[in-house]
Amino acid sequence: MALGAAGFPAVVVDPDKDIDEAVRRSPARRARDNLLASVPGVGSVTAGTLPAARFNTALKPSYQRLLADGKSKKLALIAVARKPPTILTANPQRSKTRQNA
């Protein structure tokens, strides 16, 4: 992408592609993506949300508490789906990629 005056792109042909390339060049973003990808199941969070809400000992209490508080099942599932990535990225200085044994 060629930059024109004031650092703005001279011509924007495909803004989605330009944004994607800029994000991929970011070391912080790459580190976050690598961290998330290193945990089994996080890449397919939405597919695993329902079983996790029912059987995962760490997530089940959160799901049940939200339902008991009168939240809809849909909202509770979304909250459960967001929890693992939020925990992983909450403190990037302490985050380490998971080593599969």
Side-chain angles (χ1 to χ4, degrees):
M1 168 172 56
L3 297 179
F8 293 107
V11 176
V12 176
V13 177
D14 186 355
D16 290 331
K17 182 180 175 188
D18 291 344
I19 292 169
D20 187 52
E21 288 174 2
V23 168
R24 289 180 191 275
R25 285 192 303 266
S26 165
R29 179 57 190 232
R30 279 197 313 270
R32 180 174 182 232
D33 288 348
N34 290 340
L35 173 67
L36 292 174
S38 73
V39 178
V42 172
S44 58
V45 164
T46 54
T49 300
L50 186 57
R54 293 180 61 205
F55 303 110
N56 184 294
T57 57
L59 299 175
K60 184 177 180 179
S62 296
Y63 178 72
Q64 290 176 334
R65 185 183 69 250
L66 288 166
L67 292 179
D69 289 345
K71 305 300 182 193
S72 70
K73 288 184 179 183
K74 187 176 192 179
L75 185 139
L77 285 173
I78 291 169
V80 168
R82 289 178 44 108
K83 194 168 183 128
T86 302
I87 291 169
L88 286 170
T89 59
N91 190 349
Q93 289 80 22
R94 297 186 63 199
S95 298
K96 303 259 191 265
T97 56
R98 181 182 172 106
Q99 301 298 321
N100 292 326

